[in-house]
PDB file of all heavy atoms in Angstrom:
ATOM      1  N   ASN T1250     -17.534  71.184   3.908  1.00 94.00           N
ATOM      2  CA  ASN T1250     -18.956  71.196   3.567  1.00 94.00           C
ATOM      3  C   ASN T1250     -19.920  70.858   4.692  1.00 94.00           C
ATOM      4  O   ASN T1250     -21.045  71.263   4.768  1.00 94.00           O
ATOM      5  CB  ASN T1250     -19.218  70.289   2.354  1.00 94.00           C
ATOM      6  CG  ASN T1250     -18.661  70.802   1.071  1.00 94.00           C
ATOM      7  OD1 ASN T1250     -18.356  72.018   0.893  1.00 94.00           O
ATOM      8  ND2 ASN T1250     -18.288  69.853   0.138  1.00 94.00           N
ATOM      9  N   PHE T1271       0.581  72.256  -3.754  1.00 94.00           N
ATOM     10  CA  PHE T1271      -0.790  71.955  -4.065  1.00 94.00           C
ATOM     11  C   PHE T1271      -1.713  73.213  -3.992  1.00 94.00           C
ATOM     12  O   PHE T1271      -2.148  73.624  -2.924  1.00 94.00           O
ATOM     13  CB  PHE T1271      -1.291  70.962  -3.054  1.00 94.00           C
ATOM     14  CG  PHE T1271      -2.497  70.148  -3.425  1.00 94.00           C
ATOM     15  CD1 PHE T1271      -2.912  68.956  -2.676  1.00 94.00           C
ATOM     16  CD2 PHE T1271      -3.297  70.513  -4.458  1.00 94.00           C
ATOM     17  CE1 PHE T1271      -3.998  68.280  -2.937  1.00 94.00           C
ATOM     18  CE2 PHE T1271      -4.431  69.755  -4.793  1.00 94.00           C
ATOM     19  CZ  PHE T1271      -4.807  68.667  -4.028  1.00 94.00           C
ATOM     20  N   PHE T1308      -9.124  82.382  -6.725  1.00 96.00           N
ATOM     21  CA  PHE T1308      -8.039  82.690  -5.813  1.00 96.00           C
ATOM     22  C   PHE T1308      -7.995  84.173  -5.462  1.00 96.00           C
ATOM     23  O   PHE T1308      -7.891  84.587  -4.311  1.00 96.00           O
ATOM     24  CB  PHE T1308      -6.677  82.330  -6.348  1.00 96.00           C
ATOM     25  CG  PHE T1308      -6.451  80.820  -6.617  1.00 96.00           C
ATOM     26  CD1 PHE T1308      -5.347  80.327  -7.136  1.00 96.00           C
ATOM     27  CD2 PHE T1308      -7.534  79.914  -6.263  1.00 96.00           C
ATOM     28  CE1 PHE T1308      -5.177  78.972  -7.386  1.00 96.00           C
ATOM     29  CE2 PHE T1308      -7.389  78.524  -6.480  1.00 96.00           C
ATOM     30  CZ  PHE T1308      -6.211  78.082  -7.060  1.00 96.00           C
ATOM     31  N   GLN T1321      -8.801  96.190   4.276  1.00 97.00           N
ATOM     32  CA  GLN T1321      -7.817  96.599   3.213  1.00 97.00           C
ATOM     33  C   GLN T1321      -8.551  96.872   1.962  1.00 97.00           C
ATOM     34  O   GLN T1321      -8.464  96.084   0.992  1.00 97.00           O
ATOM     35  CB  GLN T1321      -6.767  95.518   3.064  1.00 97.00           C
ATOM     36  CG  GLN T1321      -5.901  95.259   4.312  1.00 97.00           C
ATOM     37  CD  GLN T1321      -5.004  94.053   4.272  1.00 97.00           C
ATOM     38  OE1 GLN T1321      -5.079  93.311   3.342  1.00 97.00           O
ATOM     39  NE2 GLN T1321      -4.244  93.815   5.290  1.00 97.00           N
ATOM     40  N   THR T1417     -36.469 107.472  -2.234  1.00 97.00           N
ATOM     41  CA  THR T1417     -36.241 108.031  -3.547  1.00 97.00           C
ATOM     42  C   THR T1417     -37.548 108.641  -4.067  1.00 97.00           C
ATOM     43  O   THR T1417     -37.532 109.727  -4.623  1.00 97.00           O
ATOM     44  CB  THR T1417     -35.745 106.957  -4.581  1.00 97.00           C
ATOM     45  OG1 THR T1417     -34.611 106.310  -3.922  1.00 97.00           O
ATOM     46  CG2 THR T1417     -35.304 107.519  -5.843  1.00 97.00           C
ATOM     47  N   LEU T1428     -45.372 106.870   0.570  1.00 98.00           N
ATOM     48  CA  LEU T1428     -46.179 106.412   1.769  1.00 98.00           C
ATOM     49  C   LEU T1428     -46.614 104.966   1.549  1.00 98.00           C
ATOM     50  O   LEU T1428     -46.592 104.164   2.494  1.00 98.00           O
ATOM     51  CB  LEU T1428     -47.368 107.375   1.882  1.00 98.00           C
ATOM     52  CG  LEU T1428     -48.184 107.108   3.196  1.00 98.00           C
ATOM     53  CD1 LEU T1428     -47.227 107.362   4.405  1.00 98.00           C
ATOM     54  CD2 LEU T1428     -49.311 108.050   3.288  1.00 98.00           C
ATOM     55  N   GLY T1460     -50.798 112.085  12.116  1.00 98.00           N
ATOM     56  CA  GLY T1460     -50.143 110.797  11.734  1.00 98.00           C
ATOM     57  C   GLY T1460     -48.640 110.884  11.842  1.00 98.00           C
ATOM     58  O   GLY T1460     -48.033 109.891  12.319  1.00 98.00           O
ATOM     59  N   PHE T1477     -33.199 112.894  16.420  1.00 97.00           N
ATOM     60  CA  PHE T1477     -33.843 113.267  15.227  1.00 97.00           C
ATOM     61  C   PHE T1477     -35.387 113.115  15.318  1.00 97.00           C
ATOM     62  O   PHE T1477     -36.193 114.036  14.976  1.00 97.00           O
ATOM     63  CB  PHE T1477     -33.296 112.570  14.047  1.00 97.00           C
ATOM     64  CG  PHE T1477     -33.766 113.100  12.696  1.00 97.00           C
ATOM     65  CD1 PHE T1477     -33.142 114.273  12.171  1.00 97.00           C
ATOM     66  CD2 PHE T1477     -34.760 112.545  11.956  1.00 97.00           C
ATOM     67  CE1 PHE T1477     -33.597 114.834  10.893  1.00 97.00           C
ATOM     68  CE2 PHE T1477     -35.190 113.010  10.799  1.00 97.00           C
ATOM     69  CZ  PHE T1477     -34.652 114.167  10.266  1.00 97.00           C
ATOM     70  N   TYR T1513     -33.026 123.740  18.675  1.00 96.00           N
ATOM     71  CA  TYR T1513     -33.015 125.066  19.271  1.00 96.00           C
ATOM     72  C   TYR T1513     -34.088 125.961  18.488  1.00 96.00           C
ATOM     73  O   TYR T1513     -34.868 126.673  19.194  1.00 96.00           O
ATOM     74  CB  TYR T1513     -31.679 125.730  19.273  1.00 96.00           C
ATOM     75  CG  TYR T1513     -30.726 125.337  20.324  1.00 96.00           C
ATOM     76  CD1 TYR T1513     -29.620 124.430  19.957  1.00 96.00           C
ATOM     77  CD2 TYR T1513     -30.964 125.644  21.615  1.00 96.00           C
ATOM     78  CE1 TYR T1513     -28.722 124.052  20.946  1.00 96.00           C
ATOM     79  CE2 TYR T1513     -30.090 125.205  22.617  1.00 96.00           C
ATOM     80  CZ  TYR T1513     -28.970 124.433  22.252  1.00 96.00           C
ATOM     81  OH  TYR T1513     -28.150 123.984  23.252  1.00 96.00           O
ATOM     82  N   LEU T1541     -27.638 127.913  11.717  1.00 92.00           N
ATOM     83  CA  LEU T1541     -28.940 128.158  11.124  1.00 92.00           C
ATOM     84  C   LEU T1541     -29.191 129.722  11.190  1.00 92.00           C
ATOM     85  O   LEU T1541     -29.768 130.216  12.166  1.00 92.00           O
ATOM     86  CB  LEU T1541     -30.048 127.422  11.869  1.00 92.00           C
ATOM     87  CG  LEU T1541     -30.310 125.995  11.443  1.00 92.00           C
ATOM     88  CD1 LEU T1541     -31.424 125.450  12.273  1.00 92.00           C
ATOM     89  CD2 LEU T1541     -30.581 125.879   9.960  1.00 92.00           C
ATOM     90  N   SER T1551     -39.025 139.010  16.041  1.00 86.00           N
ATOM     91  CA  SER T1551     -39.792 138.959  17.351  1.00 86.00           C
ATOM     92  C   SER T1551     -39.304 140.028  18.281  1.00 86.00           C
ATOM     93  O   SER T1551     -39.745 140.079  19.475  1.00 86.00           O
ATOM     94  CB  SER T1551     -39.598 137.626  17.922  1.00 86.00           C
ATOM     95  OG  SER T1551     -40.162 136.565  17.196  1.00 86.00           O
TER      96      SER T1551
END
Side-chain angles (χ1 to χ4, degrees):
N1250 290 333
F1271 198 169
F1308 297 175
Q1321 297 171 355
T1417 308
L1428 191 59
F1477 189 79
Y1513 280 109
L1541 276 182
S1551 296

